[in-house]
Amino acid sequence: MHAIEKIFAQKANVERVKAGDRVWADVDLTVNVDLYRTVLAEFENLGGTKIKYPERVAFTFSINAPAPTIQSASNEKDMREFAYKHGIHLFDINTGVVQQVLMEAGLVWPGTISIATDSHATILGALGAVGMGVGAVDLAASMIKGNIWFRVPEIIKINIDGELQPGVMAKDVILKVLGELKQDVAIYKAIEYTGSAVRNMSLSSRMVLCNMAVELGAKTSYIQPDEKVIDFLGSRVTRTYEIPTTDPDFKYAEEYSLDVNQLVPQVACPHNVDNVCDLDDVPKKPVNQCLIGTCTGGRLEDLAIAAEILKGRKINAKTRLIVIPASKEIYLKAMELGYLRDLIEAGATVTNPGCGPCLGAHMGVLAPGEVCVTASNRNFSGRMGSPQAELYLASPATVAATAIEGILTNPRGYLKSQQRS
Amino acid sequence: MDMVITGKVLVYDDNIDTDIICPGRFLELNESKDIANVAMSGIDSNFPEKAKTHSIIIAGKNFGCGSSRDHAVRALKYSGLKAVIAQSFGRIFYRNALNLGLLVIISKDARNIFNDGESGKIDLTKGKITNMDKIITVDSDVISEEEFKVYEQGGMIQIYKQN
Amino acid sequence: MSDIKGKAIVLNMNNVSTDQIFPGQYVNLTDPNEIAEHVLEGADKSFKNRIKTGDILVAGNNFGCGSSREQAVITLKEAGFAAVIANSVGRIWYRNAINLGLPVLICEGFVNQVEEGDEIEVNLKEGIAKNSSKGTIAKGNAISDFVLNIFANGGIKPMMKSKILSK
Amino acid sequence: MHALEKILASHAEKDVVTTGEIIKAKVDLAEVNDLYLQTIYSFYEMGGKKVWDKNKICFVFDHYAPAPTIKTAQIHKEMREFVQKNNLTHHFDINTGVCHQVMHEAGLVYPGMILVATDSHTTTHGAFGAFGTGVGATDMATIMISGELWFRVPEIVEIEINGKLRPGVMAKDVILYILGKLGADACVYKAIEFCGTYIEDLDVAERMVICNMAVEMGAKTAYMVPNQKILDYIKTRTNKEFEIYDTDEDFVFAENFVFDINNLTPQIAVPHSVDNVVSIDQLPEVRIDQAFIGACTGGRLEDIQAAAEILRGQKINPRTRLVIIPASNEVLLNAIKFGFIEDLIKAGATLSTPGCGPCLGAHQGVIAEGENCVTASNRNFPGRMGSTGGSIYLASPATTAASALMGKLTDPRTFLKGENI
């Protein structure tokens, strides 16, 4: 069996599972985000009165944080009252993006199953955990019963070997994968990332791969945990846990491989995540807004490379740069290391941790005709505001260099260090 | 639920994502009718009006890719749609549809035989989709008995309720 | 400028702020018809339904205090008010009303002599408000020729325009 | 004549002006904020082609920074296009802060000037000995075309404030106290001069708080004789030469009020009127859902410092949100440098990007029906910060911080550590 199958089998309390099986499996962490006031309605609708395992349920407020409208304020008010009443975890507007704060809080460890009203729950694969996005009904059911049904997914292996050039980041790798394999390659399936490039990546970089697995259609993702994971979990997770492993005879549904030695910065052009080109091949047009942040591009290493590129420089007078650290912990660390100062002095607008304008809720919504280059994860039409705006996905380094020039720019010439990222 | 569903179709391309079906700025809405009012507003602001006379969506691959928002399913269901046929579906959308009882059917070929406004017929048990205007029939995946029961009861939500 | 006649809409409250006349959540609106939709919503959600074109708003102290948002005048004008009579009004709001040609009479105590629907007549030059239904008359502040001239021209915009054109 | 009359006279090229007279005066600086796209429409409607002076018009994006909706993004876009078309020298985009902070930081405010802005709190600049007043879009468009505006020479009221504040009591408490005594319509159409022993030695930031809220009494403008602290501050910002006008000895004020603040306690304006003011010890227990420190009234370095000193090493009440929005990027950078931001975030604050924040209900902390908010901002009108069913309590930044800590309206003097707050 694959490690993912072993996790499903264990949580379903059965000996073996295989792809296509439907199982009822225990959920270790059930997460609702602030967009889903509807979960409360479904909870009631399903006859829920009590939460089976309150310690396994968390509400996170990162999208409409702080509330931009009366309706969202009212939704959050109801959800807070629900959280207080039932004694579940509440990560309020002062914490950060959903999965980032849950990982930092030690609520996720290898071998667990998490569901969330957040499609980017696939990010948890970086910790060797199964994370899946669901809707309000599943979420409410899981709060009541502590388990839901799953279809055990086929598993695809994507092997990534090689060493990244300076200024080329995990984001470029996953965009390249998207461009090659397309956004429906892994529908209903799980993705495991392997290979030397993945092993050499920081945990934050691996999170980028797993985060965007959902853009390939995946149900969940997985990277075999190593020392980097154990170090991160360190003092955050005090309980013991077992790291599942894949049997040597396991047969993947599909296998793909990518060599990244010669990879150059990638860009996903409007309006699809798999509409990917080498940065240098994209026609240069004026960029109105740049965004560094969110669950994809707002971690410390993202802010570090942006600060390195922008320190002592000024952003283009006709371009805005919005920087949103993924969590309070990252904000504090970036402040301590001087990154925030460097970014603000260069002309960045630094906001509170959260999802920012990524899905068009507030904090940098786009007008018709505007162009935005973003380190976030989706460039769908209308994602960040007007359907007539254009979104280009790129790495945080590319976004930072672009903010300086006001047109899409390769970050290579702007890095002071020549270390490989 | 009927084993045979008929209605006029609306045809869409590949990768109709959840930001098209229900843009992020509307996710604060809670009432089904309010959500239905913004259905497909990322691509077609007249959709709610069209949905009064058209009851089947036929799309290309990866329909509903993107977010976990079940607002996307609600938007379509409560605008009166009977079914969505696509070459493939975003995983979470598919799951949400099953949960909320919006009929979703996978067919590789249906997309190729329909134009907007034509009449379609879906035979669930036989796995056949017919363009009634042109009298062309193509295959679809057959809905399993298990899934049919789920739909018949109004989605997984009803089954959860009974448990 | 001749007398203005209309039916009274009474808002006998003090310090009705621009946030009540036109709530902050709508200040991004620029279309006059849309602006009119939210008239006095912060004071009464259904206020719009009370108004017919040509009505006169009769208010208390410090009407229109608060922010400089011009929509707090546009909304009243576009909703159909022909004039506003108040005990006193906020300064910036007053300025905006003059500029946009919404006649305002400051007339202490008039609001206490009026019931909703009473027939009102306003003479701006004399500063007189008359309640024809009750047969009462009140004396307020006479409007200066400078301001009367602006009202007579329908606000300052047409005046500026003709001035620029004549240059 | 009064100094304010002399300012008006000199800008109208007259020797003498008298109360009630209508004059046409030249404007030294006209500021348009991002609520006022209408200004541009009116400009063109009235036949405007080019602005009268590209150095004397300043655009500030603060109320919607960064844009929370497509509509507001469109407003910014059109205003940026106007700025670029007219080649305006002073454009403060979303990465700067509140207009009443960024203008003087940029050296655009000095004694003896006439500053007109599309913002009622333009009275703030009386702290610098300037004639500052708020107007609507039509007036502003007139200025943009002609550089002039008609003014009615106002009656001038003298408010003398004597004494020394006790620790834990701030300038905000002083102006709330005066508002409570005189009423929200005490000075409609009039100008206010603030004087007295308290004012004479007052710091720049505190002077601004007093003048800022003069508009809440209905005032057209406010004035303080520039003191050495003001002159020293201006010198660090601009080399511009200016004239300080003296009030003639025989000038007679329309009214005089005298206040002694030696024994003043922290004050609160309770819903829903700015003049509904009571001493904090007179209030029953009031639960607080949200606390806000920021805006043109309460977002300066001194305000953030006061909050940091109360909250350092503490945790805010888990059922209370504390939103902090520095008045400008300069304030934010300094607050980072002095460690205040670290203190506040660690205490649980949500630190968002400089601007007006939720003060007028645009975004970044809108309140729901039934919620109570204590705020260092300036207005507690029904619906000001969101739902008309919310309740807003105006207080000093110190009171706001103490209330966030305890989750209920709290006297900050409870937390005084040293002699000074």
Side-chain angles (χ1 to χ4, degrees), chain D residues 277-329:
Chain D
V277 177
V278 293
S279 173
I280 192 156
D281 44 27
Q282 304 295 308
L283 279 172
E285 184 168 310
V286 177
R287 166 187 57 83
I288 292 298
D289 299 293
Q290 178 169 295
F292 171 49
I293 294 174
C296 58
T297 312
R300 300 198 173 79
L301 191 64
E302 292 78 355
D303 304 321
I304 290 169
Q305 178 175 9
E309 283 173 3
I310 289 170
L311 292 171
R312 183 172 300 134
Q314 308 281 331
K315 292 274 181 216
I316 61 168
N317 184 286
R319 297 195 178 186
T320 303
R321 289 110 60 199
L322 170 59
V323 176
I324 298 186
I325 301 193
S328 72
N329 255 356

Side-chain angles (χ1 to χ4, degrees), chain B residues 21-81:
Chain B
I21 304 170
C22 184
R25 61 186 180 280
F26 300 122
L27 297 183
E28 64 181 22
L29 300 176
N30 297 318
E31 297 300 324
S32 298
K33 66 171 170 27
D34 296 338
I35 298 171
N37 272 337
V38 300
M40 300 299 277
S41 58
I43 200 169
D44 184 356
S45 54
N46 292 324
F47 180 85
E49 196 52 39
K50 287 183 187 168
K52 288 177 184 163
T53 49
H54 298 67
S55 52
I56 299 170
I57 280 182
I58 299 195
K61 59 184 183 173
N62 210 17
F63 186 91
C65 59
S67 310
S68 58
R69 57 186 75 158
D70 53 10
H71 306 67
V73 171
R74 284 169 203 272
L76 298 179
K77 182 178 161 86
Y78 294 105
S79 61
L81 222 57

